[in-house]
Amino acid sequence: MRLLPPALGASPGPARLGGVTPGTAAPPRHPLRHGQPALVSPGIEPGLRHSSWKNGSGVVFLRDIPLLLMNRPIFLGEPQNPPSVRFVAPQTSRVPPRPPQPKISSHLSVSARCCLILRIQDTPRKFPSRTGLPVKAPMEMWTNSTERFYRIPEGKGPHSVGCTDLMTENAVEGSFLRLYYPARDATDTEEARWIPDREYYQGLSDFLNMYRIVGERLFHYYVGSVTCPAKSNAAFKPGEKYPLLIFSHGLGAFRTIYSAICIEMASQGFIVAAVEHRDESASATYYCKRRSVSESQEESTSNMEKEWIYYRKLKTGEEERCLRHKQVQQRAQECIKALNLILKISSGEEVTNVLHSDFDWNSLKDSVDTSRIAVMGHSFGGATVIESLSKEIRFRCGIALDVWMLPVGDDIYQNSVQQPLLFINSEKFQWADNILKIKKLISNDANKKMITIKGSVHQSFPDFTFVSGGIIARFFKLKGEIDPNEAIDISNHASLAFLQKHLSLKKDFDKWDSLVDGIGPNVIPGSNIDISPAEPE
């Protein structure tokens, strides 16, 4: 259960375009679209232009085009303008060379199933064709432009929200998390970047089977300026003890992309530690290590460097369940380690943050209510919730969002999870075998509940549902039939009601108690999946 679906794979084929062999026929009269014959040059190294195509900067070869690219053309030039497809034709002896064109980054040429030749523009323009005649470029194929602003929703609770990153130890064994917390009101503090490093774009590209240079450019264009509505390193709001929530991300995700959920919880009075897992299930993560002597002698602002860890794909013949079970064990230990770390800080112990942020960690002293601790996660993170509950009794309850049960060990079903547990499922993701495993875990325990949000999809929980629109969202299944804000509100409200009951909170979250029982608009009890045995024919 991946954060994003894998890209469509491709295999090289003969070099052709719309059934036309280069150098032998007239140019096609339509822009290239997915489903046409591939334009691939066998034996040509990715990044090199095929010599038989004398088309200046016009041809870009793409490998493994994901749905994102099939439904919105890629941009390869000026980032401020949305792109559109441009006509292209092979160079022949019967037509004069094309006039010089503005250079498109040569580093964005890669091989693939089909070829999109692009030029950046925000209105229809005319471009010189091979024959010197003007060719009208089609209108932008996506309903959204860069001027339309998609935003992660702010918290609806009474508290302002701050966030900061914490990393301990100069080794992979340390903890890495983003902390969301109730903050003092401040107008001079900037919001945190949603995706903080370009290496995360590269990791997402690997996860999607895209060339990194293309994926990095895509993600930078679409979400590079996105911030999450939490103030970076804002001053912590003291004065009370807050319940603690540990959050575990899904497969191919990382610590920052469930900020809508984490920010809402923090705005309602929780301290939320969103763990970034180092089990090679994140698209990308890193730890800091000291530079070598030779490197540290060079001019540098720091003697630390980032060592990146990227998503690990299954090897040929490898059984997925074995790998995922091993990973979920490590993930549970990382959640417990994050719990210990936050409690250590709350007790007043000194903790060294190797990231050197401006946040005052001493302000967290005596801030955590140690009797009110829960764990929450999505997909693979939902399996991590179950595993964590079985290993750590200090987690008084758990919430599993659209859980993926494959990684959960068989021993877990033997009454090893005693704490209350809420399963919040999407309508479109679950299947019979997964639901049967959930029901087996729930058994007849009245403190274990399952509900389903009607019209929702697996991606209704991560932030991508809020920062995408139109065709991209539909084809990546980032949005369901229900409005993303309504879906996340149902999930958050049910979670808060469940947490109030089982953490004994003195709040007004009980007004959403009916949601926990699957009663209300766009929510049903249990599952929409039919698991009744098939009748014999």
Side-chain angles (χ1 to χ4, degrees):
M1 306 344 357
R2 300 177 171 177
L3 169 68
L4 295 173
L8 180 66
S11 58
R16 56 184 181 172
L17 171 60
V20 177
T21 303
T24 62
R29 299 182 180 275
H30 54 274
L32 293 167
R33 299 180 188 275
H34 172 63
Q36 288 185 291
L39 173 59
V40 178
S41 302
I44 296 299
E45 181 182 351
L48 298 181
R49 194 172 291 117
H50 197 296
S51 60
S52 67
W53 286 74
K54 298 178 181 179
N55 57 346
S57 60
V59 174
V60 177
F61 298 93
L62 296 176
R63 182 197 77 170
D64 297 348
I65 296 192
L67 295 173
L68 175 65
L69 304 190
M70 288 189 276
N71 296 281
R72 181 174 185 182
I74 341 178
F75 44 88
L76 300 179
E78 308 152 315
Q80 70 273 20
N81 295 323
S84 67
V85 176
R86 162 161 72 81
F87 296 101
V88 71
Q91 177 78 28
T92 73
S93 58
R94 296 172 299 195
V95 295
R98 69 181 298 172
Q101 295 293 308
K103 184 177 180 181
I104 297 177
S105 175
S106 61
H107 297 292
L108 293 173
S109 297
V110 290
S111 60
R113 183 178 182 87
C114 54
C115 175
L116 298 179
I117 292 76
L118 313 170
R119 180 176 177 88
I120 308 307
Q121 64 180 73
D122 48 9
T123 56
R125 298 177 186 170
K126 294 183 178 181
F127 298 98
S129 70
R130 291 283 180 190
T131 59
L133 298 175
V135 177
K136 188 176 181 180
M139 289 291 291
E140 221 279 276
M141 296 171 60
W142 196 35
T143 56
N144 305 314
S145 72
T146 53
E147 295 178 359
R148 182 170 179 179
F149 191 58
Y150 290 89
R151 181 166 173 80
I152 297 166
E154 297 181 1
K156 299 176 175 63
H159 301 280
S160 296
V161 178
C163 71
T164 190
D165 290 328
L166 173 62
M167 182 186 293
T168 63
E169 303 178 30
N170 302 322
V172 69
E173 294 79 17
S175 290
F176 189 20
L177 57 87
R178 172 161 287 190
L179 196 74
Y180 300 86
Y181 52 87
R184 295 181 184 272
D185 293 329
T187 57
D188 58 342
T189 309
E190 294 183 353
E191 290 186 344
R193 288 180 62 191
W194 182 48
I195 299 181
D197 294 281
R198 59 188 290 269
E199 284 81 2
Y200 290 106
Y201 301 147
Q202 297 174 358
L204 288 169
S205 301
D206 292 348
F207 188 74
L208 291 169
N209 297 319
M210 296 167 59
Y211 271 102
R212 285 185 174 186
I213 194 65
V214 174
E216 183 180 340
R217 200 70 179 269
L218 279 167
F219 284 110
H220 183 269
Y221 177 81
Y222 282 109
V223 299
S225 62
V226 173
T227 59
C228 69
K231 301 296 185 179
S232 180
N233 296 318
F236 179 76
K237 184 179 181 180
E240 62 179 289
K241 289 195 172 186
Y242 301 100
L244 175 62
L245 186 62
I246 305 295
F247 193 94
S248 173
H249 63 72
L251 189 71
F254 38 90
R255 73 190 187 282
T256 68
I257 63 174
Y258 292 88
S259 63
I261 295 172
C262 296
I263 288 171
E264 173 62 15
M265 295 297 157
S267 77
Q268 298 288 356
F270 287 80
I271 294 175
V272 184
V275 178
E276 188 158 289
H277 294 293
R278 290 170 171 169
D279 61 331
E280 298 179 299
S281 67
S283 284
T285 186
Y286 68 93
Y287 64 94
C288 291
K289 68 176 185 178
R290 296 191 181 277
R291 298 179 185 271
S292 63
V293 176
S294 59
E295 291 175 322
S296 62
Q297 288 174 349
E298 299 176 2
E299 291 186 8
S300 175
T301 57
S302 173
N303 64 342
M304 305 296 292
E305 63 178 346
K306 295 178 180 179
E307 185 74 15
W308 284 90
I309 304 168
Y310 292 100
Y311 174 74
R312 170 175 154 358
K313 297 183 180 181
L314 285 172
K315 299 174 183 177
T316 303
E318 184 176 16
E319 183 185 1
E320 180 163 28
R321 190 174 188 275
C322 181
L323 171 64
R324 302 309 181 201
H325 181 62
K326 180 180 178 181
Q327 287 176 323
V328 81
Q329 300 288 320
Q330 179 177 334
R331 285 167 144 257
Q333 290 301 327
E334 288 171 339
C335 287
I336 296 169
K337 190 180 295 184
L339 167 61
N340 292 332
L341 177 62
I342 301 302
L343 294 183
K344 183 178 179 181
I345 293 171
S346 181
S347 69
E349 289 190 47
E350 192 76 22
V351 171
T352 300
N353 184 9
V354 300
L355 298 179
H356 304 296
S357 72
D358 295 329
F359 183 73
D360 180 12
W361 291 98
N362 292 323
S363 63
L364 288 177
K365 184 176 180 180
D366 296 325
S367 63
V368 176
D369 187 337
T370 58
S371 66
R372 293 181 170 94
I373 300 170
V375 59
M376 185 179 193
H378 173 244
S379 193
F380 200 177
T384 308
V385 166
I386 296 170
E387 198 72 33
S388 300
L389 289 172
S390 71
K391 295 180 182 298
E392 180 54 70
I393 196 64
R394 288 177 296 175
F395 290 126
R396 287 185 52 184
C397 61
I399 299 171
L401 307 173
D402 227 8
V403 62
W404 181 35
M405 296 295 289
L406 176 72
V408 177
D410 294 335
D411 58 310
I412 297 297
Y413 298 97
Q414 308 301 320
N415 298 319
S416 61
V417 178
Q418 303 295 325
Q419 302 96 314
L421 182 55
L422 174 63
F423 294 92
I424 303 178
N425 294 339
S426 70
E427 180 182 346
K428 304 296 185 182
F429 173 73
Q430 295 294 335
W431 63 102
D433 184 61
N434 213 56
I435 294 297
L436 285 170
K437 290 179 179 178
I438 294 173
K439 285 183 171 291
K440 183 179 179 181
L441 188 65
I442 291 175
S443 188
N444 295 316
D445 189 341
N447 288 324
K448 293 184 175 67
K449 302 273 190 177
M450 176 168 57
I451 62 172
T452 299
I453 301 173
K454 293 192 290 185
S456 61
V457 295
H458 197 52
Q459 303 304 323
S460 294
F461 300 93
D463 295 337
F464 278 103
T465 191
F466 302 108
V467 297
S468 61
I471 294 174
I472 286 179
R474 288 198 297 273
F475 279 88
F476 260 137
K477 297 183 179 178
L478 300 177
K479 298 180 192 287
E481 298 167 3
I482 189 173
D483 178 83
N485 289 281
E486 183 178 356
I488 206 70
D489 281 348
I490 292 172
S491 176
N492 287 336
H493 292 165
S495 298
L496 288 166
F498 184 80
L499 291 169
Q500 168 155 330
K501 179 178 180 180
H502 296 291
L503 296 182
S504 304
L505 302 176
K506 296 179 180 179
K507 302 282 187 179
D508 64 347
F509 305 149
D510 54 350
K511 62 188 175 185
W512 297 308
D513 278 349
S514 61
L515 293 175
V516 179
D517 294 318
I519 301 170
N522 292 318
V523 63
I524 61 173
S527 174
N528 60 306
I529 303 298
D530 182 11
I531 58 173
S532 58
E535 295 182 3
E537 297 181 358

